[in-house]
Amino acid sequence: MVVVGAGIAGVACAVELTRAGVPVEIRERGRVAGGRMASKRFDGRPADLGAAYFTVDDPDFAEVAGEWRTAGLAREWTDTFVAYDRQGRRERPGPMRWAAPGGLRSLVEHLARDLPLTVDRLVLGVEPGPVVDGRPCAAVALAMPGPQAALLLDPALAEATRAVQDQQWTAALTGVLRFPGRRWADFRGAFVNDHPVLAVVCDDGDRRGDAAPVLVAHTTPEFAAPHLAQPSAAGPAIEEAVRDLLGLAQPAELVHVHRWTYAKPASTAEGTFHLDADGIGLAGDAFGGKPRVQTAWRSGRDLGRALAARLTA
């Protein structure tokens, strides 16, 4: 059994298969696990590049979050963001948002700690059988955005091909900005409405709990689209937008831009996963409701259970 993709959906899938005694291997094309729960270190300090936080309202996911908290990897962060719009700035209460002092990627790595994970392992193709890169296997789980899965699937795998072709995704850029000091009014995170560049801005020093003068900004899909080929060129515009929003006179001393070609599904499919008679499974936050970390975890968990039931029957 092969799971392709070591984001939280793929890892959750592999956890269930392993618990059921199904031999599994995870192949990840990147250098680390995490997927869109990505973190990157700048001078030794992590900043989250993908998901900004996670929320919990599923009892089973609450148990996972509790394990992360007990391990010192996650903490409740805030239930209040601010919102910026044409009427100005106002507080916007909401669900409790959780953060990870070591970066959200550390949570995925913790889940995967006992799993057979191979990174830097590019999968080239999935053919009927199923066969992965010429090697037969019991089943395949593709835990990634549909457009990426489509590049791997042989068109003869018609059901899975239709499922991934139905997915539509939007892009985003993430800008990490480190300033000489903290000069902004107190806030945890901000939703920025009707803005040509910004969608969300988070105080990463508050999110990490170390008070570092670091902000992380997520852009709108419309701004990101023309910058996907050369994301670093968008850095000055992102910095200018953040400084204008928060009234910052000092320029950032570091600006890093990360590209997310497939940042968020534009819509979600019914059911929490796809599994067909060809032995091809699909999982991720494009299934099962509002796209978020919990949704992706539940998708992978449910696919893993369905595969385990089929393979151990």
Side-chain angles (χ1 to χ4, degrees):
M1 170 73 216
V2 177
V3 175
V4 185
I8 194 166
V11 169
C13 179
V15 165
E16 294 299 323
L17 288 161
T18 300
R19 285 175 178 167
V22 177
V24 62
E25 60 178 280
I26 311 174
R27 300 185 189 178
E28 167 57 46
R29 68 175 185 172
R31 291 176 292 176
V32 294
R36 281 172 292 132
M37 290 174 70
S39 307
K40 181 178 175 66
R41 289 187 174 271
F42 299 90
D43 297 326
R45 181 190 181 278
D48 285 318
L49 300 178
Y53 52 81
F54 68 91
T55 57
V56 180
D57 58 28
D58 179 289
D60 291 341
F61 188 59
E63 291 186 15
V64 177
E67 292 173 5
W68 287 332
R69 176 163 51 188
T70 299
L73 298 174
R75 67 185 182 96
E76 292 184 336
W77 173 33
T78 182
D79 63 359
T80 303
F81 267 32
V82 298
Y84 287 92
D85 53 31
R86 293 186 178 91
Q87 282 70 49
R89 182 183 189 269
R90 55 187 170 82
E91 289 195 347
R92 183 172 167 181
M96 177 57 66
R97 298 167 177 92
W98 290 60
L104 290 176
R105 189 183 83 203
S106 68
L107 307 182
V108 182
E109 291 174 333
H110 184 261
L111 281 181
R113 64 193 183 281
D114 297 322
L115 298 175
L117 167 62
T118 304
V119 297
D120 268 337
R121 181 70 181 272
L122 183 66
V123 171
L124 299 178
V126 179
E127 298 173 298
V131 174
V132 177
D133 291 345
R135 177 183 162 193
C137 55
V140 182
L142 301 177
M144 62 188 67
Q148 293 177 327
L151 298 176
L152 305 182
L153 287 168
D154 187 305
L157 296 165
E159 286 191 61
T161 297
R162 281 195 298 270
V164 297
Q165 288 176 342
D166 286 342
Q167 293 184 22
Q168 301 295 320
W169 289 71
T170 61
L173 302 177
T174 300
V176 179
L177 298 91
R178 186 178 66 213
F179 290 86
R182 298 177 64 85
R183 299 289 185 268
W184 48 85
D186 183 52
F187 81 111
R188 306 293 188 266
F191 299 116
V192 190
N193 301 316
D194 304 316
H195 195 282
V197 177
L198 303 175
V200 175
V201 179
C202 291
D203 183 336
D204 200 59
D206 188 86
R207 182 166 60 183
R208 291 278 86 74
D210 63 0
V214 177
L215 299 171
V216 177
H218 303 266
T219 74
T220 65
E222 295 78 14
F223 176 80
H227 293 286
L228 295 178
Q230 197 171 12
S232 59
I238 295 173
E239 180 190 4
E240 180 182 3
V242 170
R243 290 175 60 193
D244 179 67
L245 179 75
L246 301 179
L248 304 179
Q250 285 185 305
E253 59 185 19
L254 176 145
V255 178
H256 172 84
V257 181
H258 186 88
R259 169 184 59 216
W260 294 103
T261 304
Y262 307 112
K264 184 182 295 186
S267 61
T268 55
E270 293 184 7
T272 58
F273 63 91
H274 167 93
L275 178 59
D276 56 40
D278 295 315
I280 307 300
L282 306 171
D285 59 356
F287 296 90
K290 185 177 181 180
R292 49 182 180 157
V293 170
Q294 177 180 273
T295 305
W297 172 85
R298 187 165 51 202
S299 175
R301 187 273 312 267
D302 290 354
L303 175 60
R305 289 180 176 178
L307 282 164
R310 176 181 295 188
L311 297 175
T312 59

